[in-house]
Structures are given as structure tokens and as C-alpha cells.
Amino acid sequence: MATSVVVGEEVMRNKQVIFKDYVSGFLKESDMQVINGTLKLKLPEGSNGIVVKNLYLSCDPYMRNRMTRVEGPNLFTSFTPGSPLTGFGVARVLDSGHPNFKKGDLIWGTTGWEEYSVITELEGLFKIQHTDVPLSYYTGILGMPGLSAYVGFYEVCSPKKGEYVFISAASGAVGQLVGQFAKLMGCYVVGSAGSKEKVDLLKRKFGFDDAFNYKEETDLDAALKRVHGDSTFMENPIDRYFPEGIDIYFENVGGKMFDAVLLNMKDHGRISVCGLISQYNLDQPEGVQNLMCLIYKRIHMKGFVVFDYYNIYPKFLDVMLPYIREGKIMYVEDIAEGLESGPAALVGLYSGRNVGKQVVLIARE
């Protein structure tokens, strides 16, 4: 175990999750290693960085993309073999050389997969002002995934009451929120997930009109056209999921699901591309067969990167905090305890082992 911390000590032990080497194919726990490293706590003279104690770390699908060697211009840089992973997390400031942060501040943003980190790139760090909600929420509903759901649904799709919405990976960190946003708008919502437990969660906890387990489907096009019988949204209980097509598709998966959705989109439908998790572990990504639907159906499809929308984070909080406090939005987390559980938790994302937002608890306050 790492020793206790006293800011100002020169060197201390610091448990870390190390990225061993670039990954080909499916990510494995053995591609990472938990070690007891060391950390110099004293900031260099004149540094404007901060020293933090990490409390929660976020497991996010995009992290797999950073485990492949990236050459040339790219949104993400590759992780450095032999160094700790980095990702979104919640932390408390222990020491600061920057005027905007002081000892004791709680922050969320990019930090190391380790017990303690020195952060020198402070752009994109947010001070946590509202602590009447669980701090872990800033890895999810009030952090990057929550803002992604908000931007991808409201800003990209411009939803209207009564529209038909389909969400893939609907029980995940982003999908569960998109579905609830859509229901609050008065939309009809169907989601796909990878187990009966998750399908039940979508319908019973998050209020989806319907949902199906994609792993049980041999024909996804047929699944999207299937007649349903338990939704109260439409007057006729034998109507199909999408009798006239899908108005809005929130894309988290890609691959065969994306191909099937294209066949079922409504004319002038909108697709918000948030992620393509089915493709991240493939050395050769799957091709898409039905792209002509974009032309014939005049579909508007847009990818987005949440960083581009950080400027609306205060507006996002103004919407989300009342929803949480009033119980209008529910959120499910899957919390793994201890930094040593981090590799297994991250690997589990890609097989759907998690139920809800996958978080790693490093230290309790």
C-alpha cells in the first residue's frame, strides 16, 4: 500500500496503473500493470501546476483508441508505454502553483491513473462547486459523459416532442441519460443493450418505452421493425417500434447496428455520432453497407467532440442539477473499489460487463 501523504515531502510511494505497450486486438488486463511508483510532491520553482489526490477515476471507451500508436494529426495522442494511463477523474488539490486553484479545492478533469498526480496542463479542469450530489457523478452524469449526452441530443439533434428516438448502448454512461432527456421532451424512446438485466433497467428505471437485447438478435434490421406490445406511448399497442422510421438515432456502437439503423431512419432524420465502441478493438474496422440511405433519406449525420462544448458547461449544470435534485433524472453507476481493480473495470467496458457508468473508487474523502 502507498504511504500517507504530507505535501512538501520530496518523494513518496504512489500506486499507479502503467500502460505496458501498444495494443493490437482486444484489450486485456495484462496490457496494464499496477505498480508502486514514486512521486515528487514539491512543485518545481515557478510551476503553475497542481498536486492532487485522486478520488475517482472514469473508465471511458475512448481510452482504447489511445492504446494504439497514433501517428500524424489526431484528436487524441497515444498513451506512453511505461507511463501511467490518464483519463477523467475527480480529485482534491493538495498543493497549487496556480492562482485559480487552491489547497482543498475539488476538481474534475484529466488526471493520472494513480493515487496522486502532478497536473501541469490545467486547461479543461473544472472546479467542483456543488457537493450536495455524489462526487462520483463528476465522472459521469455531471462530467464528460453527461455533457456528451446533453450536447449530442439537444445541440446536435434539435429534438421535438413526439419524435421517435433510438439509442444504442442505451444503459451506458451516456445512453441512459439520452433516453431520459428524450422522455422529458415527450419523445418515444427505444434502446438496445447487451443483457436482460440491462433491458429491464432501461424500461423499469429509466422509463424507456421499449428495449431489446442486441446479443439475442440475428437480424438487427428485423429487430428494429419488430412489433411491440407493452408501450403506452401509442394508442395502438400492436404498432411497430418505429412505424414511420427513426427520427433521431444516438450512435454509440457503430458496425452492424449502424447499418441496420440506416435502413430504418425516417426521411430527414438526424444521427448524432458520439462513439463507435464495437470498432475500437478491431485492427480492421467493419465497413458500412447502407450509406446510400444518407442520400435517399436526406439524413443529417454529425459527429461531435465534447471538448468543443466546454463553454456551455455552466448552462449544462443549470439544467442537470435541478433534474438530479428533483429526481427527474436517475443515474446508475458500477463502482469498482481500489486502483488495482482499474484494469479489469476498463477491460470490462468492451464486453459490456459493467451495468451503468463504470467508475473506479481510489479513495474516500
Side-chain angles (χ1 to χ4, degrees):
M1 296 293 292
T3 59
S4 60
V5 184
V6 179
V7 174
E9 287 184 352
E10 194 63 28
V11 178
M12 60 161 291
R13 291 174 64 194
N14 183 31
K15 190 178 292 184
Q16 302 172 305
V17 176
I18 299 297
F19 174 55
K20 292 169 69 174
D21 204 352
Y22 299 116
V23 176
S24 177
F26 277 80
L27 179 66
K28 306 180 296 297
E29 290 181 47
S30 59
D31 292 318
M32 297 162 277
Q33 181 180 11
V34 180
I35 68 167
N36 276 313
T38 60
L39 177 72
K40 290 184 179 181
L41 279 181
K42 188 174 179 59
L43 291 166
E45 191 69 30
S47 171
N48 67 348
I50 59 176
V51 179
V52 301
K53 177 181 180 179
N54 293 311
L55 306 177
Y56 295 93
L57 297 176
S58 176
C59 294
D60 294 301
Y62 80 89
M63 295 174 70
R64 173 62 184 84
N65 297 331
R66 300 190 65 191
M67 295 179 175
T68 302
R69 186 191 296 271
V70 175
E71 298 177 354
N74 199 285
L75 176 64
F76 298 114
T77 57
S78 299
F79 290 134
T80 302
S83 296
L85 298 177
T86 60
F88 289 96
V90 173
R92 182 175 291 281
V93 177
L94 300 179
D95 190 25
S96 174
H98 194 283
N100 292 345
F101 298 92
K102 64 180 186 302
K103 181 179 178 180
D105 282 348
L106 289 164
I107 59 102
W108 75 267
T110 301
T111 188
W113 271 47
E114 54 193 352
E115 291 176 301
Y116 304 94
S117 296
V118 176
I119 304 174
T120 56
E121 296 182 9
L122 305 184
E123 186 178 3
L125 286 187
F126 295 86
K127 278 202 281 190
I128 295 173
Q129 309 286 0
H130 305 278
T131 57
D132 61 322
V133 296
L135 285 178
S136 58
Y137 276 16
Y138 289 92
T139 68
I141 187 172
L142 294 176
M144 182 274 290
L147 186 58
S148 296
Y150 181 89
V151 166
F153 186 60
Y154 292 114
E155 301 288 326
V156 174
C157 291
S158 303
K160 303 178 186 67
K161 181 178 179 179
E163 291 193 308
Y164 288 73
V165 178
F166 177 59
I167 304 157
S168 56
S171 67
V174 175
Q176 61 176 288
L177 294 174
V178 176
Q180 292 178 85
F181 290 156
K183 289 306 299 177
L184 288 168
M185 284 285 299
C187 297
Y188 170 75
V189 183
V190 176
S192 65
S195 71
K196 182 181 184 300
E197 177 188 7
K198 293 178 181 180
V199 167
D200 289 344
L201 189 69
L202 293 177
K203 294 194 284 187
R204 295 178 183 176
K205 190 175 186 70
F206 300 138
F208 281 54
D209 292 284
D210 222 322
F212 63 88
N213 180 355
Y214 72 90
K215 291 181 180 178
E216 295 179 347
E217 305 295 339
T218 57
D219 185 337
L220 292 171
D221 177 33
L224 292 168
K225 289 181 169 65
R226 184 162 52 229
V227 173
H228 69 89
D230 60 355
S231 172
T232 59
F233 182 83
M234 291 176 288
E235 293 180 3
N236 184 353
I238 62 169
D239 280 333
R240 298 179 184 277
Y241 284 147
F242 307 106
E244 297 180 11
I246 299 167
D247 290 294
I248 292 173
Y249 173 44
F250 199 97
E251 169 67 294
N252 292 308
V253 170
K256 294 179 176 64
M257 182 64 79
F258 178 47
D259 243 349
V261 167
L262 285 172
L263 295 173
N264 288 275
M265 289 296 295
K266 193 174 182 178
D267 288 356
H268 305 288
R270 288 94 74 204
I271 299 176
S272 178
V273 184
C274 180
L276 301 169
I277 193 171
S278 72
Q279 306 301 295
Y280 296 161
N281 285 292
L282 302 181
D283 290 332
Q284 184 63 46
E286 294 174 315
V288 179
Q289 305 298 314
N290 298 318
L291 284 177
M292 285 300 291
C293 292
L294 292 175
I295 300 170
Y296 297 151
K297 297 175 183 244
R298 287 85 79 200
I299 296 167
H300 176 79
M301 182 170 71
K302 181 177 179 180
F304 69 96
V305 178
V306 71
F307 312 138
D308 294 340
Y309 296 87
Y310 274 175
N311 62 303
I312 68 169
Y313 185 68
K315 173 186 172 184
F316 163 74
L317 284 183
D318 288 343
V319 172
M320 289 302 296
L321 285 167
Y323 278 164
I324 295 170
R325 291 165 180 156
E326 296 166 17
K328 292 182 177 179
I329 290 279
M330 309 299 291
Y331 201 61
V332 171
E333 298 175 303
D334 191 330
I335 299 181
E337 297 208 14
L339 188 63
E340 60 279 356
S341 69
L346 182 59
V347 170
L349 281 183
Y350 305 102
S351 61
R353 195 162 62 211
N354 58 301
V355 178
K357 169 61 189 170
Q358 185 66 69
V359 183
V360 180
L361 168 65
I362 306 304
R364 301 184 188 278
E365 281 288 357

